[in-house]
Amino acid sequence: RKEVEQDPGPFNVPEGATVAFNCTYSNSASQSFFWYRQDCRKEPKLLMSVYSSGNEDGRFTAQLNRASQYISLLIRDSKLSDSATYLCVVNAYNFNKFYFGSGTKLNVKP
Amino acid sequence: GAVVSQHPSRVICKSGTSVKIECRSLDFQATTMFWYRQFPKQSLMLMATSNEGSKATYEQGVEKDKFLINHASLTLSTLTVTSAHPEDSSFYICSARGSGQSNQPQHFGDGTRLSIL
């Protein structure tokens, strides 16, 4: 079983839509969680860390469910510029070990 | 915010050449740096974890003599692809995380696109 699993998508949504991605992780001792976005042929960029109580940054909301071992990312009012691959990253109990999901591709269409 | 600079961004060279890639943390001290490789339409693959002042830890299947990593200071790590061949052509990305709390994220460099002819 993979350490981190994501639905690869693609998610094709119209501008203005709300879209949500989930990511599951296998190690219950995982300590910290992040969402990154990666544009085609570019490096990943940190979108947001995910905190236990959930957190919001503008149109983006991240949630953590430790009991079910998943994190989610909600994007409201999608923009064309949100089109990218969204990577779920989990930091294991060994804090220098990060596990990446394979990414979820989002296409926002006019 | 944390900035990681990677250089060069693009390399095209002949088979047999050794290529050196630098990764610098510009505004923070990076006790740990990571080196990844990504083939087209595939996930990031961790190659090695580099801690300042000690030997890098390589992932299974990554040849340490082929991919030499040096992390001599808190702001610089280098990856040297020795005697590169066409199958080494890929997108190489470094990342760095600061010292301190274990919940700090990684910050990525811009990546180096390596093409071996």
Side-chain angles (χ1 to χ4, degrees), chain A residues 72-83:
Chain A
S72 64
L73 177 68
L74 180 79
I75 306 175
R76 288 182 300 277
D77 189 22
S78 301
K79 311 288 184 194
L80 295 177
S81 57
D82 293 333
S83 297

Side-chain angles (χ1 to χ4, degrees), chain A:
Chain A
R1 186 184 172 188
K2 289 183 181 178
E3 293 281 347
V4 179
E5 299 211 50
Q6 289 183 254
D7 180 344
F11 285 59
N12 298 307
V13 303
E15 264 187 296
T18 295
V19 61
F21 311 133
N22 279 346
C23 161
T24 58
Y25 60 94
S26 61
N27 189 337
S28 60
S30 297
Q31 294 184 337
S32 44
F33 311 87
F34 311 93
W35 283 103
Y36 285 77
R37 69 170 279 167
Q38 186 175 24
D39 293 285
C40 189
R41 298 173 66 86
K42 297 283 191 181
E43 79 282 10
K45 290 191 190 300
L46 179 66
L47 183 63
M48 56 200 304
S49 301
V50 186
Y51 302 121
S52 296
S53 54
N55 47 300
E56 189 174 304
D57 182 1
R59 298 181 293 108
F60 300 85
T61 301
Q63 299 273 2
L64 167 63
N65 185 318
R66 283 192 184 274
S68 301
Q69 293 182 206
Y70 76 84
I71 66 172
S72 64
L73 177 68
L74 180 79
I75 306 175
R76 288 182 300 277
D77 189 22
S78 301
K79 311 288 184 194
L80 295 177
S81 57
D82 293 333
S83 297
T85 296
Y86 290 83
L87 301 171
C88 167
V89 181
V90 175
N91 189 192
Y93 61 91
N94 171 352
F95 80 98
N96 263 344
K97 195 74 177 176
F98 289 83
Y99 295 98
F100 283 73
S102 55
T104 297
K105 189 165 174 57
L106 172 65
N107 296 317
V108 180
K109 300 186 181 298

Side-chain angles (χ1 to χ4, degrees), chain B residues 28-48:
Chain B
F28 67 102
Q29 292 187 327
T31 48
T32 305
M33 288 186 171
F34 304 88
W35 286 97
Y36 295 86
R37 182 165 56 181
Q38 188 174 34
F39 292 105
K41 300 192 178 185
Q42 293 190 23
S43 305
L44 284 170
M45 187 193 81
L46 179 65
M47 299 175 68

